[in-house]
Amino acid sequence: EAGVAQSPRYKIIEKRQSVAFWCNPISGHATLYWYQQILGQGPKLLIQFQNNGVVDDSQLPKDRFSAERLKGVDSTLKIQPAKLEDSAVYLCASSLARRNEQFFGPGTRLTVL
Amino acid sequence: AQTVTQSQPEMSVQEAETVTLSCTYDTSESDYYLFWYKQPPSRQMILVIRQEAYKQQNATENRFSVNFQKAAKSFSLKISDSQLGDAAMYFCAYRSAGPHSGSARQLTFGSGTQLTVLP
């Protein structure tokens, strides 16, 4: 079974630029999560989807971050405009349902200069 | 809100020896799950072991076992016969198991312990 796919693996941008990350969850997984992991910290949930609906986005900085999950499969996370403090690894995870184990992708390392 | 604390930023162990990583958590709930995740340099989080709070028996997975002390809100991970491949960042995590929706089901992570295995 294929795992959670993410791209790109690395991205370097200037502050105030825009960036987008892509995630393809495990086939059949209804729940999809985006986490932000700042260096030296544990991952922090940004947004959680159940199929194509948002379950929880309470920790998403909505003035600059947006996410969508069209057709309940792939998802994109966008930052516009980026700030220096957005430098982090962005992890995508998926699970069959909210009560099930989460499987993580390899993450995207974002550096904002 | 639940919090998870890992007080050991770094640990080291000799190959084939045993090491214990510590984790404490704070919650007012009685029904929850606890997890240990491993994150190697590849960055991919891998589930090592999980414990349901209602189970008194400590979980084990091959060389990995936990010491779950519910009253003390402590959840340590023991790695026996350490191998070079065990070197990674280890995260303790908490998740509510109650009949909630939304954020109550999210994983709350500690800050991690970097484990080095010495040959």
Side-chain angles (χ1 to χ4, degrees):
Chain A
E1 160 179 280
V4 177
Q6 289 187 249
S7 67
R9 292 297 308 276
Y10 303 89
K11 189 74 176 179
I12 300 173
I13 61 172
E14 302 275 337
K15 60 182 179 183
R16 290 187 290 275
Q17 285 187 323
S18 300
V19 64
F21 312 127
W22 174 81
C23 173
N24 180 236
I26 293 173
S27 178
H29 280 197
T31 312
L32 185 146
Y33 312 79
W34 282 103
Y35 290 87
Q36 180 193 57
Q37 186 179 16
I38 293 172
L39 184 64
Q41 299 180 18
K44 181 187 80 172
L45 181 71
L46 291 175
I47 189 167
Q48 178 183 339
F49 292 93
Q50 181 69 20
N51 297 309
N52 61 349
V54 175
V55 174
D56 180 15
D57 64 356
S58 57
Q59 300 189 86
L60 187 75
K62 298 181 187 64
D63 57 335
R64 298 183 301 106
F65 286 65
S66 64
E68 60 182 8
R69 191 183 183 197
L70 298 175
K71 301 179 182 178
V73 182
D74 293 6
S75 177
T76 55
L77 176 70
K78 297 179 182 178
I79 307 175
Q80 180 179 7
K83 292 185 175 181
L84 296 177
E85 59 261 36
D86 298 333
S87 293
V89 173
Y90 290 86
L91 294 166
C92 179
S94 71
S95 63
L96 272 173
R98 280 184 282 159
R99 65 180 179 277
N100 296 105
E101 177 187 345
Q102 294 182 29
F103 294 85
F104 286 80
T108 296
R109 181 179 296 280
L110 173 67
T111 302
V112 182
L113 303 176
Chain B
Q2 294 80 23
T3 58
V4 177
T5 302
Q6 293 179 251
S7 58
Q8 306 155 315
E10 298 176 349
M11 291 281 286
S12 63
V13 62
Q14 290 289 142
E15 196 175 2
E17 296 294 310
T18 296
V19 65
T20 299
L21 308 184
S22 302
C23 172
T24 58
Y25 58 96
D26 188 27
T27 184
S28 58
E29 299 176 328
S30 60
D31 194 13
Y32 51 86
Y33 297 101
L34 295 165
F35 305 85
W36 278 99
Y37 281 89
K38 170 184 177 181
Q39 187 177 41
S42 67
R43 300 197 302 267
Q44 190 146 5
M45 300 282 276
I46 302 164
L47 179 64
V48 174
I49 198 165
R50 80 179 229 170
Q51 173 81 42
E52 290 87 346
Y54 67 87
K55 289 187 177 179
Q56 292 186 333
Q57 187 172 7
N58 289 324
T60 61
E61 285 288 345
N62 301 315
R63 298 182 294 108
F64 299 87
S65 61
V66 298
N67 183 4
F68 173 47
Q69 302 288 329
K70 191 172 183 179
K73 296 180 182 175
S74 170
F75 183 61
S76 61
L77 174 70
K78 185 171 84 171
I79 306 174
S80 304
D81 185 25
S82 297
Q83 300 175 0
L84 295 177
D86 294 334
M89 182 73 88
Y90 285 81
F91 290 96
C92 178
Y94 171 103
R95 197 188 83 197
S96 173
H100 306 296
S101 60
S103 60
R105 289 286 179 92
Q106 69 173 274
L107 283 168
T108 300
F109 288 88
S111 56
T113 297
Q114 180 68 50
L115 178 66
T116 301
V117 180
L118 304 170

